[in-house]
DNA sequence: TTATTATCCTATCGATTTAATAGAGTAAGC
DNA sequence: GCTTACTCTATTAAATCGATAGGATAATAA
Protein backbone atom coordinates (compact mmCIF):
# COMPACT_ATOMS: atom_id res chain seq x y z
CA UNK A 1 0.00 0.00 0.00
CA UNK A 2 1.22 3.45 -0.96
CA UNK A 3 1.80 5.61 2.11
CA UNK A 4 0.05 8.95 2.42
CA UNK A 5 3.46 10.51 2.56
CA UNK A 6 4.17 9.31 -0.95
CA UNK A 7 0.71 10.15 -2.18
CA UNK A 8 0.88 13.68 -0.82
CA UNK A 9 4.43 14.10 -2.01
CA UNK A 10 3.49 13.13 -5.55
CA UNK A 11 0.54 15.49 -5.51
CA UNK A 12 2.65 18.34 -4.23
CA UNK A 13 5.32 17.74 -6.84
CA UNK A 14 2.75 17.58 -9.60
CA UNK A 15 1.26 20.82 -8.35
CA UNK A 16 4.64 22.52 -8.41
CA UNK A 17 5.34 21.14 -11.85
CA UNK A 18 2.09 22.54 -13.16
CA UNK A 19 2.90 26.10 -12.04
CA UNK A 20 3.61 28.63 -14.75
CA UNK A 21 6.98 29.86 -13.54
CA UNK A 22 9.39 28.40 -11.01
CA UNK A 23 8.50 30.89 -8.31
CA UNK A 24 8.45 29.55 -4.74
CA UNK A 25 5.04 28.34 -3.61
CA UNK A 26 4.11 28.35 0.06
CA UNK A 27 3.38 25.15 1.92
CA UNK A 28 -0.05 26.48 2.90
CA UNK A 29 -0.92 27.15 -0.72
CA UNK A 30 -0.05 23.60 -1.78
CA UNK A 31 -1.75 22.09 1.24
CA UNK A 32 -4.93 23.98 0.52
CA UNK A 33 -5.05 23.18 -3.18
CA UNK A 34 -4.34 19.49 -2.70
CA UNK A 35 -6.31 18.85 0.49
CA UNK A 36 -3.29 17.93 2.58
CA UNK A 37 -2.64 18.53 6.27
CA UNK A 38 -0.32 21.54 6.32
CA UNK A 39 2.00 20.26 9.00
CA UNK A 40 2.31 16.80 7.50
CA UNK A 41 3.06 18.28 4.10
CA UNK A 42 5.72 20.42 5.72
CA UNK A 43 7.74 17.37 6.72
CA UNK A 44 7.29 15.77 3.32
CA UNK A 45 8.53 18.83 1.45
CA UNK A 46 11.47 18.95 3.81
CA UNK A 47 12.61 15.46 2.86
CA UNK A 48 12.11 16.30 -0.81
CA UNK A 49 14.35 19.31 -0.36
CA UNK A 50 17.00 17.36 1.51
CA UNK A 51 17.08 14.82 -1.28
CA UNK A 52 17.76 17.54 -3.82
CA UNK A 53 14.47 17.50 -5.66
CA UNK A 54 13.10 20.73 -4.25
CA UNK A 55 14.64 24.03 -3.31
CA UNK A 56 13.28 26.39 -0.68
CA UNK A 57 13.29 30.04 0.23
CA UNK A 58 12.58 31.45 3.66
CA UNK A 59 10.81 34.65 4.60
CA UNK A 60 8.34 36.71 2.65
CA UNK A 61 7.82 35.47 -0.90
CA UNK A 62 9.38 32.22 0.19
CA UNK A 63 8.24 28.65 -0.35
CA UNK A 64 9.24 25.55 -2.29
CA UNK A 65 10.14 25.19 -5.93
CA UNK A 66 11.45 22.55 -8.31
CA UNK A 67 15.18 22.63 -8.81
CA UNK A 68 15.10 20.86 -12.15
CA UNK A 69 12.64 20.75 -14.99
CA UNK A 70 9.86 18.18 -14.48
CA UNK A 71 10.97 16.22 -17.52
CA UNK A 72 14.37 15.75 -15.89
CA UNK A 73 12.97 14.22 -12.72
CA UNK A 74 12.49 10.48 -13.15
CA UNK A 75 9.91 8.72 -11.05
CA UNK A 76 12.50 6.21 -9.88
CA UNK A 77 14.16 8.99 -7.91
CA UNK A 78 10.94 10.43 -6.52
CA UNK A 79 9.57 7.06 -5.46
CA UNK A 80 12.76 6.00 -3.73
CA UNK A 81 12.88 9.23 -1.77
CA UNK A 82 9.24 9.16 -0.75
CA UNK A 83 8.34 5.49 -0.49
CA UNK A 84 11.76 3.92 -0.09
CA UNK A 85 12.75 0.72 -1.90
CA UNK A 86 10.84 -0.10 -5.07
CA UNK A 87 11.33 -3.80 -4.40
CA UNK A 88 8.85 -5.54 -2.14
CA UNK A 89 11.55 -7.55 -0.38
CA UNK A 90 15.01 -6.30 0.58
CA UNK A 91 16.71 -9.29 -1.05
CA UNK A 92 15.70 -8.08 -4.52
CA UNK A 93 16.34 -4.40 -3.91
CA UNK A 94 18.92 -2.65 -6.05
CA UNK A 95 19.44 0.35 -3.79
CA UNK A 96 18.51 -1.08 -0.40
CA UNK A 97 19.71 -4.67 -0.62
CA UNK A 98 19.60 -6.86 2.48
CA UNK A 99 19.95 -10.59 2.84
CA UNK A 100 17.03 -12.55 4.26
CA UNK A 101 18.01 -14.22 7.50
CA UNK A 102 15.50 -17.03 7.15
CA UNK A 103 16.35 -17.96 3.58
CA UNK A 104 19.35 -20.26 3.06
CA UNK A 105 19.64 -19.87 -0.70
CA UNK A 106 18.53 -16.83 -2.65
CA UNK A 107 18.90 -18.43 -6.05
CA UNK A 108 16.41 -21.18 -5.29
CA UNK A 109 13.95 -19.04 -3.32
CA UNK A 110 10.52 -18.84 -4.89
CA UNK A 111 9.72 -15.52 -3.26
CA UNK A 112 12.95 -14.05 -4.53
CA UNK A 113 12.25 -15.28 -8.04
CA UNK A 114 8.75 -13.84 -8.18
CA UNK A 115 9.57 -10.54 -6.51
CA UNK A 116 12.46 -9.99 -8.89
CA UNK A 117 9.98 -9.91 -11.75
CA UNK A 118 7.65 -7.61 -9.88
CA UNK A 119 10.46 -5.24 -9.08
CA UNK A 120 11.61 -5.15 -12.68
CA UNK A 121 8.13 -4.44 -13.98
CA UNK A 122 7.59 -1.61 -11.50
CA UNK A 123 11.00 -0.22 -12.29
CA UNK A 124 10.11 -0.18 -15.94
CA UNK A 125 7.10 2.00 -15.24
CA UNK A 126 9.01 4.41 -13.03
CA UNK A 127 11.79 4.66 -15.56
CA UNK A 128 9.37 5.54 -18.32
CA UNK A 129 7.75 8.34 -16.36
CA UNK A 130 9.10 11.69 -15.33
CA UNK A 131 7.35 14.29 -13.24
CA UNK A 132 6.35 15.97 -16.49
CA UNK A 133 4.26 12.94 -17.40
CA UNK A 134 2.21 13.31 -14.25
CA UNK A 135 0.96 16.78 -15.08
CA UNK A 136 -2.51 16.45 -16.60
CA UNK B 1 6.80 -4.07 1.47
CA UNK B 2 5.74 -7.69 1.32
CA UNK B 3 4.33 -8.89 4.64
CA UNK B 4 5.83 -11.92 6.34
CA UNK B 5 2.44 -13.51 6.07
CA UNK B 6 2.67 -13.40 2.28
CA UNK B 7 6.29 -14.42 2.25
CA UNK B 8 5.68 -17.42 4.49
CA UNK B 9 2.53 -18.29 2.60
CA UNK B 10 4.37 -18.35 -0.70
CA UNK B 11 7.14 -20.48 0.73
CA UNK B 12 4.67 -22.93 2.21
CA UNK B 13 2.76 -23.21 -1.06
CA UNK B 14 5.96 -23.72 -3.00
CA UNK B 15 6.98 -26.40 -0.56
CA UNK B 16 3.67 -28.20 -0.98
CA UNK B 17 3.90 -27.88 -4.74
CA UNK B 18 7.34 -29.44 -4.75
CA UNK B 19 6.17 -32.57 -2.90
CA UNK B 20 6.09 -35.78 -4.87
CA UNK B 21 2.51 -36.77 -4.23
CA UNK B 22 -0.42 -34.76 -2.93
CA UNK B 23 -0.31 -36.35 0.50
CA UNK B 24 -1.12 -34.08 3.44
CA UNK B 25 1.92 -32.44 5.01
CA UNK B 26 1.93 -31.41 8.65
CA UNK B 27 2.23 -27.77 9.65
CA UNK B 28 5.27 -28.61 11.78
CA UNK B 29 7.00 -30.20 8.84
CA UNK B 30 6.53 -27.15 6.63
CA UNK B 31 7.46 -24.77 9.43
CA UNK B 32 10.67 -26.65 10.08
CA UNK B 33 11.73 -26.92 6.46
CA UNK B 34 11.03 -23.27 5.68
CA UNK B 35 12.14 -21.68 8.96
CA UNK B 36 8.74 -20.34 9.88
CA UNK B 37 7.15 -19.90 13.29
CA UNK B 38 4.83 -22.88 13.64
CA UNK B 39 1.94 -21.00 15.18
CA UNK B 40 2.13 -18.14 12.74
CA UNK B 41 2.21 -20.51 9.81
CA UNK B 42 -0.82 -22.24 11.26
CA UNK B 43 -2.95 -19.14 10.80
CA UNK B 44 -1.62 -18.52 7.32
CA UNK B 45 -2.45 -22.02 6.14
CA UNK B 46 -5.87 -21.61 7.62
CA UNK B 47 -6.65 -18.59 5.46
CA UNK B 48 -5.27 -20.41 2.42
CA UNK B 49 -7.64 -23.25 3.15
CA UNK B 50 -10.61 -20.97 3.66
CA UNK B 51 -9.91 -19.33 0.33
CA UNK B 52 -10.02 -22.69 -1.42
CA UNK B 53 -6.36 -23.03 -2.30
CA UNK B 54 -5.50 -25.66 0.26
CA UNK B 55 -7.33 -28.63 1.70
CA UNK B 56 -6.72 -30.09 5.13
CA UNK B 57 -7.08 -33.34 6.98
CA UNK B 58 -7.30 -33.73 10.72
CA UNK B 59 -5.94 -36.44 12.93
CA UNK B 60 -3.11 -38.87 12.35
CA UNK B 61 -1.67 -38.66 8.87
CA UNK B 62 -3.34 -35.28 8.53
CA UNK B 63 -2.00 -31.97 7.32
CA UNK B 64 -2.39 -29.57 4.43
CA UNK B 65 -2.34 -30.30 0.71
CA UNK B 66 -2.94 -28.48 -2.56
CA UNK B 67 -6.43 -28.85 -3.95
CA UNK B 68 -5.46 -28.12 -7.54
CA UNK B 69 -2.37 -28.70 -9.59
CA UNK B 70 0.27 -25.99 -9.14
CA UNK B 71 0.02 -25.01 -12.81
CA UNK B 72 -3.67 -24.25 -12.28
CA UNK B 73 -3.06 -21.82 -9.42
CA UNK B 74 -2.35 -18.34 -10.79
CA UNK B 75 -0.32 -15.96 -8.69
CA UNK B 76 -3.05 -13.32 -8.96
CA UNK B 77 -5.24 -15.50 -6.77
CA UNK B 78 -2.52 -16.34 -4.26
CA UNK B 79 -1.34 -12.75 -3.90
CA UNK B 80 -4.83 -11.38 -3.42
CA UNK B 81 -5.55 -13.91 -0.70
CA UNK B 82 -2.29 -13.40 1.15
CA UNK B 83 -1.34 -9.79 0.54
CA UNK B 84 -4.69 -8.30 -0.40
CA UNK B 85 -5.07 -5.76 -3.22
CA UNK B 86 -2.41 -5.81 -5.91
CA UNK B 87 -2.92 -2.11 -6.50
CA UNK B 88 -1.01 0.31 -4.29
CA UNK B 89 -3.98 2.64 -3.92
CA UNK B 90 -7.62 1.60 -3.52
CA UNK B 91 -8.72 3.92 -6.32
CA UNK B 92 -6.95 1.79 -8.95
CA UNK B 93 -7.86 -1.56 -7.48
CA UNK B 94 -9.90 -3.97 -9.59
CA UNK B 95 -11.06 -6.21 -6.76
CA UNK B 96 -10.95 -3.81 -3.81
CA UNK B 97 -11.92 -0.49 -5.35
CA UNK B 98 -12.50 2.52 -3.10
CA UNK B 99 -12.79 6.18 -3.94
CA UNK B 100 -10.24 8.58 -2.45
CA UNK B 101 -11.95 11.09 -0.19
CA UNK B 102 -9.30 13.75 -0.68
CA UNK B 103 -9.19 13.58 -4.46
CA UNK B 104 -11.86 15.54 -6.35
CA UNK B 105 -11.24 14.07 -9.78
CA UNK B 106 -9.80 10.65 -10.44
CA UNK B 107 -9.25 11.18 -14.13
CA UNK B 108 -6.91 14.12 -13.60
CA UNK B 109 -5.12 12.72 -10.55
CA UNK B 110 -1.41 12.19 -11.07
CA UNK B 111 -1.19 9.51 -8.43
CA UNK B 112 -4.05 7.63 -9.99
CA UNK B 113 -2.45 7.81 -13.40
CA UNK B 114 0.92 6.51 -12.24
CA UNK B 115 -0.42 3.81 -9.96
CA UNK B 116 -2.64 2.49 -12.72
CA UNK B 117 0.46 1.68 -14.72
CA UNK B 118 2.17 0.10 -11.75
CA UNK B 119 -0.86 -2.05 -11.03
CA UNK B 120 -1.05 -3.21 -14.63
CA UNK B 121 2.59 -4.13 -14.73
CA UNK B 122 2.39 -6.10 -11.49
CA UNK B 123 -0.77 -7.80 -12.68
CA UNK B 124 1.01 -8.83 -15.83
CA UNK B 125 3.68 -10.62 -13.78
CA UNK B 126 1.19 -12.37 -11.53
CA UNK B 127 -0.88 -13.45 -14.50
CA UNK B 128 2.13 -14.97 -16.19
CA UNK B 129 3.11 -17.02 -13.18
CA UNK B 130 1.41 -19.99 -11.60
CA UNK B 131 2.50 -21.81 -8.49
CA UNK B 132 4.24 -24.29 -10.75
CA UNK B 133 6.58 -21.56 -11.94
CA UNK B 134 7.77 -20.93 -8.40
CA UNK B 135 9.08 -24.45 -7.87
CA UNK B 136 12.83 -24.43 -8.54
C1' DT C 1 17.41 47.63 13.44
C1' DT C 2 13.03 45.66 14.02
C1' DA C 3 8.85 43.38 12.65
C1' DT C 4 7.03 40.08 9.82
C1' DT C 5 6.98 36.06 7.18
C1' DA C 6 7.74 31.32 6.25
C1' DT C 7 10.76 27.46 6.36
C1' DC C 8 13.42 24.32 9.74
C1' DC C 9 13.62 20.95 13.19
C1' DT C 10 12.61 18.02 17.08
C1' DA C 11 9.47 15.81 19.91
C1' DT C 12 5.31 13.65 20.90
C1' DC C 13 0.92 11.14 20.48
C1' DG C 14 -2.92 8.11 19.29
C1' DA C 15 -4.36 4.63 16.21
C1' DT C 16 -3.51 0.93 13.46
C1' DT C 17 -1.08 -2.98 11.79
C1' DT C 18 2.12 -6.69 12.15
C1' DA C 19 4.21 -10.79 13.86
C1' DA C 20 4.06 -13.92 17.16
C1' DT C 21 2.16 -16.72 21.06
C1' DA C 22 -1.13 -19.27 24.15
C1' DG C 23 -4.55 -22.37 24.99
C1' DA C 24 -8.82 -24.64 24.70
C1' DG C 25 -11.88 -26.92 21.16
C1' DT C 26 -12.85 -30.34 17.36
C1' DA C 27 -12.50 -34.06 14.18
C1' DA C 28 -10.08 -38.06 12.14
C1' DG C 29 -7.73 -42.34 12.56
C1' DC C 30 -6.09 -46.51 14.94
C1' DG D 1 -11.23 -44.17 23.64
C1' DC D 2 -6.79 -42.42 23.05
C1' DT D 3 -3.67 -39.99 20.25
C1' DT D 4 -2.82 -36.91 16.65
C1' DA D 5 -3.17 -32.71 14.28
C1' DC D 6 -6.00 -29.12 12.56
C1' DT D 7 -9.46 -25.11 14.31
C1' DC D 8 -10.46 -21.01 16.41
C1' DT D 9 -10.35 -17.04 19.47
C1' DA D 10 -7.90 -13.98 22.20
C1' DT D 11 -3.93 -11.57 23.66
C1' DT D 12 0.34 -9.05 23.30
C1' DA D 13 4.66 -6.56 22.18
C1' DA D 14 6.68 -3.93 18.81
C1' DA D 15 6.71 -1.17 14.88
C1' DT D 16 4.80 2.05 11.73
C1' DC D 17 1.80 5.73 10.25
C1' DG D 18 -0.47 9.97 10.09
C1' DA D 19 -0.92 13.95 12.34
C1' DT D 20 0.11 17.81 15.53
C1' DA D 21 2.66 21.25 18.52
C1' DG D 22 5.93 24.68 19.26
C1' DG D 23 10.06 26.98 19.22
C1' DA D 24 14.42 27.99 16.25
C1' DT D 25 16.19 30.05 12.20
C1' DA D 26 16.70 32.79 8.21
C1' DA D 27 15.13 36.12 4.71
C1' DT D 28 12.68 40.20 3.41
C1' DA D 29 10.82 44.81 4.02
C1' DA D 30 9.79 48.78 6.80
Amino acid sequence: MLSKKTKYGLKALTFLASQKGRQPVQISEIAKQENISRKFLESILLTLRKSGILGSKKGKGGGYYLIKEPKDIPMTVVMRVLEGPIAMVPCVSLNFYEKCDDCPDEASCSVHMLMLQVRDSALEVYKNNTLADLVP
Side-chain angles (χ1 to χ4, degrees), chain A:
Chain A
M1 187 68 75
L2 203 71
S3 68
K4 297 230 167 179
K5 180 183 173 186
T6 303
K7 186 179 175 186
Y8 293 163
L10 287 175
K11 285 196 167 195
L13 286 173
T14 309
F15 182 78
L16 287 175
S18 73
Q19 295 294 104
K20 293 269 189 251
R22 289 289 165 256
Q23 261 63 261
V25 183
Q26 291 177 33
I27 299 176
S28 315
E29 167 78 5
I30 307 175
K32 191 180 162 191
Q33 293 296 326
E34 299 293 337
N35 288 314
I36 306 172
S37 144
R38 195 202 162 285
K39 269 300 195 179
F40 190 24
L41 181 60
E42 199 176 297
S43 68
I44 298 169
L45 296 179
L46 204 56
T47 64
L48 284 170
R49 201 218 56 185
K50 285 182 179 170
S51 73
I53 295 173
L54 293 181
S56 67
K57 234 184 110 178
K58 286 185 181 177
K60 186 159 193 180
Y64 283 94
Y65 53 90
L66 290 171
I67 287 187
K68 298 192 234 173
E69 282 304 300
K71 69 170 170 46
D72 297 322
I73 306 175
M75 276 303 119
T76 45
V77 173
V78 175
M79 289 302 291
R80 284 189 176 119
V81 167
L82 289 172
E83 188 75 3
I86 288 167
M88 293 183 80
V89 269
C91 72
V92 299
S93 177
L94 294 171
N95 291 249
F96 303 83
Y97 176 84
E98 250 178 81
K99 197 182 173 307
C100 297
D101 40 348
D102 59 310
C103 179
D105 180 28
E106 234 166 59
S108 68
C109 174
S110 58
V111 178
H112 186 85
M113 197 187 309
L114 183 65
M115 289 304 130
L116 210 56
Q117 295 179 55
V118 176
R119 185 255 283 163
D120 280 339
S121 75
L123 214 47
E124 195 62 26
V125 172
Y126 294 136
K127 272 184 183 166
N128 289 333
N129 280 279
T130 69
L131 186 52
D133 298 311
L134 296 199
V135 181

